[in-house]
Amino acid sequence: MTTLIRPRQLFAVMSAQSVSTYANQVIALVVPWLILTRTGDAASAGTVAFAMGIAALAGTLTGGVVTDRIGGRRVSMLADGLSLLTALALAAALWFGWFSLWFVAVTQVLGVFFDGPGGIAKSSTVPRAAEDADVPISRAMGLTQTLQGVATFVGPITAGLLIAVWGEAATLLVTTVLFLAAIALVSRVRTPEPTHDQPMTPGQVLRDLRAAVQFLRNEPFLGRMQLVGPLMGAVIVPISALVVPAWFVFGQQDSRALGIFLGAGAVGGVVGGVAFAAWSARLPQRTWLVGATTLYAVVMAGLFLTSPGSLPAIGLSFAAGGVLSVMFAVPFTAFYSRTPQELLGRVGSLGAAQGSLMGAVASLGFGWLLHTASAPNALLVCAAVMGAIALALAAMPFMRLLDAPTAEPVAA
């Protein structure tokens, strides 16, 4: 933590990421809770989640190109400002007692469209800040997951308590303050603005994206990981956005119980992030990733055997958060160490876009599954899919490249 706090630029970048994540975690609890409690229809919640995933796909693809063109700092501030406006619009509608499913869908589709570029932009500033502070990228990733875990811990607990005490409108107003704080933090970051010989035209945008695709084709690890990462997103996205909220709502649990459950997972994320930052070099990266994915599948199977709000479920949520932070930290470490700085936005957006697409399609399927079967059965399906992914990761030869020496990323 001393390594994190001392370099101000790195601390500002990571803090902005975490504050923005905090705001999005609050919204991520409010929206499915709002839809499920007002309509009681899991299929509608799944449809909204699908639309949000498609918007995230478009936003991340656009955001990667724009970030590499005008810089992560500018894109981050613009994206958080627009996200603030969408949260404020929904809060105002609810404040005056007006609820409409289509309006919720429109505001959230716009919100995640802006969140995608904002997330890509903030991520693109991490490697340079870590390099300037002489912080190893694996440690920076562990510390990032630690702060992200703190934000993910505070977000759902805050949302659950505020919904119970003041309602959904006041809870959304809190997110507007958080987005303002993220803008203020990013405004303090001083990074060189990118320069380009060619103007940003539609043809140039296609050429920029083609360069990122070509890089992934030639990169022996990241290119193949593009086939596996989206499958993980097909499980992770619906669990947080749909399956767990439905498990609690249909289990007759209140918003505070859901907040505590998600908060326990975030505390586990903090522990997992600190552990990875401290000990990432002691075990092969492949062992970290395969082991964490396997344990995540086991935890999902364990939740199938528990009831929402119970102490065993909270303990399993803690364990899930711990291994999930490792599942994120390992691929991000490989991504940052293998990708040239000038391609970070575009390459990151391609991976995030695939994850958004798979998450959107899976959310639609899980909405149907929740409507026709039950939330525990959906958890069991998640466990089976993640277990299959763990077996595939253990068997695929390209995973050995995780621990192979890598050369410095070559400029595009």
Side-chain angles (χ1 to χ4, degrees):
M1 294 304 295
T2 303
T3 303
L4 166 66
I5 294 172
R6 189 174 296 155
R8 294 184 179 180
Q9 292 288 294
L10 182 60
F11 183 67
V13 169
M14 291 184 174
S15 297
Q17 280 183 315
S18 300
V19 172
S20 185
T21 297
Y22 179 14
N24 287 320
Q25 285 295 316
V26 173
I27 294 173
L29 188 143
V30 171
V31 171
W33 183 267
L34 186 66
I35 296 172
L36 290 167
T37 54
R38 299 292 178 91
T39 68
D41 188 358
S44 294
T47 302
V48 172
F50 171 77
M52 291 169 64
I54 296 301
L57 166 67
T60 50
L61 283 175
T62 305
V65 174
V66 176
T67 295
D68 287 340
R69 277 274 160 179
I70 69 175
R73 177 174 171 270
R74 293 178 181 175
V75 174
S76 177
M77 295 173 66
L78 179 62
D80 283 336
L82 294 172
S83 294
L84 183 155
L85 293 177
T86 61
L88 186 61
L90 182 56
L94 296 174
W95 190 268
F96 290 103
W98 184 60
F99 170 84
S100 174
L101 186 61
W102 72 264
F103 188 72
V104 173
V106 168
T107 55
Q108 295 316 297
V109 162
L110 290 173
V112 297
F113 178 82
F114 301 135
D115 289 339
I120 294 294
K122 292 181 184 67
S123 296
S124 70
T125 61
V126 171
R128 189 180 297 276
E131 181 181 354
D132 292 343
D134 198 26
V135 176
I137 192 62
S138 62
R139 180 168 293 177
M141 286 303 95
L143 295 173
T144 296
Q145 291 305 313
T146 301
L147 283 182
Q148 293 287 81
V150 172
T152 309
F153 162 64
V154 177
I157 288 182
T158 302
L161 292 175
L162 289 178
I163 290 173
V165 177
W166 289 336
E168 295 92 344
T171 305
L172 287 169
L173 287 175
V174 171
T175 66
T176 64
V177 178
L178 294 172
F179 283 125
L180 281 174
I183 293 171
L185 285 166
V186 171
S187 68
R188 300 173 57 187
V189 177
R190 294 292 178 264
T191 57
E193 300 296 344
T195 57
H196 298 274
D197 296 331
Q198 302 295 329
M200 188 174 175
T201 62
Q204 187 60 44
V205 168
L206 291 176
R207 286 190 288 274
D208 287 347
L209 284 175
R210 193 180 301 122
V213 172
Q214 188 62 41
F215 167 78
L216 285 174
R217 284 180 179 173
N218 296 332
E219 219 295 321
F221 175 78
L222 295 179
R224 291 167 176 80
M225 194 62 190
Q226 297 296 308
L227 303 175
V228 181
L231 294 177
M232 291 182 169
V235 176
I236 295 169
V237 171
I239 284 177
S240 60
L242 188 59
V243 175
V244 168
W247 189 39
F248 274 76
V249 170
F250 298 151
Q252 306 301 314
Q253 298 291 318
D254 61 18
S255 60
R256 284 172 290 190
L258 176 57
I260 291 171
F261 176 87
L262 295 175
V267 172
V270 173
V271 174
V274 170
F276 184 79
W279 301 321
S280 60
R282 298 190 181 184
L283 291 172
Q285 296 289 290
R286 181 172 177 237
T287 301
W288 279 105
L289 184 57
V290 174
T293 308
T294 303
L295 288 175
Y296 192 76
V298 172
V299 169
M300 290 298 105
L303 287 176
F304 170 76
L305 301 174
T306 64
S307 57
S310 64
L311 285 176
I314 293 173
L316 288 170
S317 178
F318 174 85
V323 297
L324 194 60
S325 67
V326 176
M327 290 166 61
F328 283 125
V330 174
F332 273 122
T333 299
F335 164 66
Y336 286 131
S337 62
R338 292 170 176 269
T339 308
Q341 176 70 38
E342 66 272 18
L343 284 176
L344 280 175
R346 281 166 283 169
V347 174
S349 70
L350 289 174
Q354 290 185 72
S356 298
L357 178 60
M358 291 296 292
V361 174
S363 294
L364 198 62
F366 275 105
W368 171 84
L369 180 62
L370 289 165
H371 182 72
T372 57
S374 66
N377 286 335
L379 288 170
L380 193 60
V381 171
C382 291
V385 174
M386 194 58 72
I389 293 173
L391 290 173
L393 289 174
M396 289 179 175
F398 83 92
M399 287 294 296
R400 297 188 181 92
L401 296 173
L402 258 178
D403 299 290
T406 58
E408 285 295 315
V410 180

